Amino acid sequence: MRAVFACLFLVLLSACSVGPDADTLRTDVNERLEQALPSRVVELASLTRRGSQSDTKAPAGEQRRIIYFDAELKLTQDLNFGAWNAPGIAGLISALGAAPKGIDGITSGGNKAGDIIRAHGTALYRHDGQAWVAVMPAGYQPPVAPEYVSAPTGAGAMLAGLRKVVEAIPRDISPVQQAAIEEELAVAQASIRARLARVSNGYAIAAGAEHGQYLRLARAVFNERNSRAVPLITRGGEENLQLLRTGKVSLALAQGDAALDAYEGAGTFSGRGPYGDLRAIASLYPEPMHVLVRADGSLTSIRGLRGKRVAIGEVGSASRTTALRVLGAHGLGLDDIKAQELSIGAALLSLQQGETDAVFQVIGTPADSIRDSLRDMSLRLLPLSGDAITKLTHGKTGYFPHTISKGTYFNQNEDVQTLATAALLLTNETLSDAEVESITGRVFQQGSDYSARGSAQGAQISVATSRIGVLVPMHAAAARKLDSLAAPNP
């Protein structure tokens, strides 16, 4: 028996050593950090290889391995990883192939020289017959199972009945039908949790889709033992604004341009008229427009999309509205393209399969879906033209010029000029000033490491940027709290 265990140990030890050695790994990680962050801002203080595993997504006939490592980075200069138009948290995550929770030490408001950042990273390598060649940071997969809570005991009979209905559905239904069932269950859960939160005098927050950036941010900020906030699964920003207006939630996350449309009763909100009670608590992080094409294709400009198959987003999504405005600023309308109304995941898969030529998406960086797609195809970001950026950011539009810094995504070697809207935390006049002030203080509390709690975008929250892109009225209590936080200590 001892001999058997000894053999198993040797097999496992051998498996852990497959792939590049620690020196090769260190060299490659250093190169990616140089690409993603300003030169000589960090030094790789230590790197320990923690083993590897076979890549189950490797192309047929190709041997790939995912390498796991622990790293310590020492800052040689002050650096604000949350800066909006500069290399920061996005580049760090992409360079290390780390999940947000895998990085510890990011401080809201900026880090100082000498600070230590610790990370659990990954890298993907392929074997070319003679050596191991770096493919990209391996990244991470968010969990795929939606989080549902158990119903109260008193609702057992209803829950059992619902379970019978779901189990009676044929197993061979289409993915679209399956998605519809899951969405309706998630919406029902959100409605129940919202009512429970109100009964308990808590705060229901309309966040976003499961695994989406809004939901992860809400959980990172509010899911603490002493928090009375309940982040809810929703379909996104436009639905969040409707839930807020109908009184089903106390707080909502939404794009700044969508919030402006709701406040003015414009765009997709024109049927209901202006939402005059809408108030902003703060701007949280930028959501830039991504225009993605295959790197091995010939497309180099948005005007070149005339006659092409373009994924503009799902009907009712705020991102779709922005995509149409960006196309319009480049002289293109729906009649000039072959529009495809797809979610970001479906659009990227269609791009990989050669059924889509370009994908438009408004999303915070780094976007998990885009990083994951880079495992299967090389992508290129198209810049917006200077004239289009000027046209769309001039006046009261909810947009501002933005740079997706080089290194934000693997093999992105140049800055990309685009525009962005702000992710806003919103409320209305139903909460008291004391409640709004308390919520604002929680969001902007000093020393928060929202990245370590699971939200890369949370690292970009700062009092200094808390009013960028806010074009709906600020809640007076939130404005006072932000002013007090910005004031120098006596």
Side-chain angles (χ1 to χ4, degrees):
M1 184 61 70
R2 288 182 179 178
V4 171
F5 280 122
C7 289
L8 287 174
F9 176 77
L10 290 174
V11 168
L12 290 172
L13 186 62
S14 174
C16 288
S17 65
V18 173
D21 59 25
D23 289 340
T24 300
L25 183 62
R26 173 185 285 271
T27 298
D28 292 337
V29 171
N30 260 323
E31 288 179 357
R32 293 201 297 268
L33 287 169
E34 283 292 322
Q35 180 194 37
L37 296 173
S39 180
R40 300 177 181 175
V41 167
V42 300
E43 62 179 33
L44 188 57
S46 68
L47 184 143
T48 304
R49 193 179 185 279
R50 294 299 186 190
S52 68
Q53 72 175 42
S54 177
D55 178 21
T56 58
K57 290 188 174 183
E62 187 171 291
Q63 183 183 2
R64 289 187 177 188
R65 293 198 74 81
I66 301 172
I67 312 300
Y68 300 94
F69 62 90
D70 290 340
E72 286 193 355
L73 311 177
K74 183 177 180 180
L75 291 186
T76 58
Q77 303 174 29
D78 294 352
L79 180 63
N80 182 5
F81 284 97
W84 282 22
N85 258 322
I89 185 65
L92 187 64
I93 286 175
S94 292
L96 297 174
K101 286 186 177 180
I103 296 180
D104 180 65
I106 304 296
T107 303
S108 61
N111 284 78
K112 301 296 183 182
D115 284 357
I116 298 295
I117 308 297
R118 295 177 175 84
H120 305 293
T122 61
L124 182 63
Y125 285 79
R126 64 177 174 82
H127 199 260
D128 67 358
Q130 295 183 341
W132 289 96
V133 179
V135 177
M136 61 175 292
Y140 67 100
Q141 295 288 326
V144 297
E147 296 181 4
Y148 298 124
V149 295
S150 300
T153 304
M158 293 180 64
L159 185 59
L162 181 59
R163 183 182 297 277
K164 290 180 180 179
V165 171
V166 174
E167 290 176 346
I169 297 171
R171 295 182 179 272
D172 59 350
I173 62 173
S174 70
V176 174
Q177 292 173 313
Q178 182 66 35
I181 294 169
E182 292 176 357
E183 284 183 1
E184 291 305 320
L185 288 172
V187 170
Q189 178 209 21
S191 179
I192 293 169
R193 294 185 71 188
R195 291 192 64 180
L196 289 174
R198 290 197 303 274
V199 169
S200 301
N201 296 318
Y203 307 109
I205 307 168
E210 186 69 42
H211 319 310
Q213 293 179 352
Y214 282 178
L215 188 62
R216 283 204 298 271
L217 177 72
R219 286 172 172 168
V221 174
F222 293 104
N223 270 11
E224 298 179 5
R225 290 184 178 180
N226 61 343
S227 172
R228 292 156 55 213
V230 182
L232 306 180
I233 298 171
T234 71
R235 295 185 178 95
E238 290 191 351
E239 181 186 12
N240 294 350
L241 287 161
Q242 298 288 7
L243 290 170
L244 185 63
R245 185 165 189 168
T246 55
K248 293 183 177 180
V249 298
S250 303
L251 300 165
L253 291 163
Q255 288 180 202
D257 55 343
L260 179 62
D261 283 348
Y263 179 72
E264 294 181 339
T268 57
F269 298 93
S270 59
R272 296 204 59 184
Y275 181 12
D277 290 339
L278 184 63
R279 295 291 181 269
I281 290 179
S283 176
L284 303 179
Y285 63 87
E287 296 188 279
M289 168 57 76
H290 292 63
V291 184
L292 295 151
V293 297
R294 292 186 64 112
D296 55 7
S298 59
L299 289 168
T300 59
S301 70
I302 293 178
R303 289 192 176 93
L305 297 179
R306 187 179 298 275
K308 303 296 184 181
R309 300 162 298 179
V310 181
I312 57 175
E314 296 177 290
V315 174
S317 69
S319 182
R320 181 182 186 276
T321 300
T322 309
L324 294 176
R325 289 170 178 168
V326 168
L327 286 166
H330 288 84
L332 300 174
L334 283 174
D335 294 337
D336 300 308
I337 62 170
K338 299 173 183 177
Q340 298 174 322
E341 294 167 339
L342 302 172
S343 67
I344 178 64
L348 288 168
L349 179 60
S350 183
L351 183 64
Q352 179 189 341
Q353 295 173 340
E355 298 170 354
T356 293
D357 298 307
V359 176
F360 280 64
Q361 183 68 32
V362 176
I363 193 168
T365 56
D368 300 337
S369 51
I370 296 172
R371 290 177 61 210
D372 190 41
S373 292
L374 289 168
R375 295 168 60 98
D376 304 308
M377 61 179 164
S378 295
L379 295 172
R380 182 169 66 250
L381 284 162
L382 296 185
L384 275 60
S385 73
D387 289 344
I389 294 173
T390 299
K391 183 184 299 183
L392 289 169
T393 59
H394 180 70
K396 189 178 180 182
T397 64
Y399 306 115
F400 46 88
H402 188 80
T403 301
I404 301 178
S405 300
K406 69 176 184 177
T408 296
Y409 297 104
F410 181 68
N411 274 351
Q412 181 199 335
N413 299 317
E414 302 291 337
D415 292 344
V416 175
Q417 303 306 315
T418 184
L419 58 75
T421 187
L424 302 184
L425 179 60
L426 300 152
T427 187
N428 49 35
E429 297 288 6
T430 59
L431 294 179
S432 69
D433 285 1
E435 290 172 317
V436 172
E437 185 171 334
S438 174
I439 291 167
T440 307
R442 173 180 288 274
V443 172
F444 290 93
Q445 58 187 325
Q446 287 295 313
S448 298
D449 189 351
Y450 293 135
S451 176
R453 298 184 197 172
S455 172
Q457 289 67 43
Q460 297 174 295
I461 294 176
S462 169
V463 174
T465 55
S466 59
R467 288 178 169 85
I468 295 178
V470 178
L471 293 178
V472 301
M474 291 281 294
H475 195 288
R480 287 194 299 271
K481 183 62 176 181
L482 290 170
D483 287 341
S484 69
L485 292 173
N489 293 325

